[in-house]
Amino acid sequence: MNDAHLHMVVNHFPIIGTIFGLGILIAALIFKNTATKNVAYVLFVVAATFAAFSMGTGEGAEEIAEKLPDVTDQIIHEHEEMAEKLALVLYALGAISLVGLFLNFVKNSNEKFVSYLAVVIAAVAVFLAQQTGTTGGEIRHTEIRANATTAGVNQNDAAANQDGKNGSEEGNEDDD
């Protein structure tokens, strides 16, 4: 398993964990449930931890991705910049979540302020996570790039259709 593979394994949890954590935290605030808030806080801490792992494997993945066809330094740079912003926000969210867990444990009244602060930071993180996921996806999925052309897609479709015709003709000859 190389760094690119490790990066692909760990980089999804900061995004998914933050989205789920935000939804769970909002539900906890609506239903006034401290245990559910704690679940959201733990998800945020785990998402921040996985963000650190993602950042740690990103450089090795970059070295491998730079050698792939249709992958430019600009595409990788955009992803790296977004990932750095997301990581910083997730580290802050993880720290706030640890404070929220502690305040819930000691039943401190300031916890309510911390939970609203966590919602705001998590909402920013979800926005950055979407941007980071998109820029990361653009590295290998050329069809989602802003400059993707339908001509390139149509050429790929035509090639696939041609391969399908060749395969079906060969299959018909075997039936004779």
Side-chain angles (χ1 to χ4, degrees):
M1 187 179 296
N2 61 30
D3 280 346
H5 188 197
L6 285 172
H7 188 67
M8 293 298 297
V9 168
V10 299
N11 72 4
H12 293 88
F13 196 84
I15 297 170
I16 302 300
T18 304
I19 293 167
F20 283 150
L22 178 59
I24 291 169
L25 184 56
I26 290 170
L29 290 170
I30 291 169
F31 295 114
K32 298 179 170 101
N33 188 310
T34 301
T36 306
K37 277 187 203 176
N38 289 341
V39 169
Y41 290 149
V42 168
L43 270 172
F44 292 145
V45 170
V46 172
T49 303
F50 272 83
F53 289 138
S54 292
M55 294 300 291
T57 59
E59 286 299 321
E62 177 182 5
E63 295 298 319
I64 294 167
E66 286 175 331
K67 297 173 183 141
L68 298 172
D70 296 329
V71 176
T72 65
D73 288 339
Q74 178 63 29
I75 291 170
I76 293 173
H77 179 73
E78 286 177 24
H79 175 60
E80 187 175 11
E81 292 296 314
M82 289 307 303
E84 288 171 356
K85 291 174 188 172
L86 173 61
L88 291 174
V89 171
L90 287 179
Y91 299 154
L93 181 58
I96 292 293
S97 296
L98 290 173
V99 170
L101 281 168
F102 175 76
L103 293 177
N104 273 341
F105 181 73
V106 298
K107 299 187 186 330
N108 187 303
S109 62
N110 290 328
E111 191 285 324
K112 192 168 192 165
F113 169 74
V114 170
S115 63
Y116 286 116
L117 181 59
V119 166
V120 171
I121 295 171
V124 170
V126 166
F127 172 77
L128 291 173
Q130 184 276 326
Q131 297 293 313
T132 302
T134 298
T135 58
E138 288 174 347
I139 293 172
R140 293 298 293 150
H141 294 281
T142 57
E143 72 276 9
I144 65 170
R145 293 180 188 168
N147 62 352
T149 63
T150 55
V153 172
N154 289 339
Q155 288 173 353
N156 290 339
D157 288 344
N161 286 338
Q162 186 62 35
D163 287 344
K165 287 179 184 175
N166 289 341
S168 64
E169 289 172 4
E170 290 172 7
N172 289 340
E173 290 174 5
D174 291 339
D175 291 338
D176 290 337

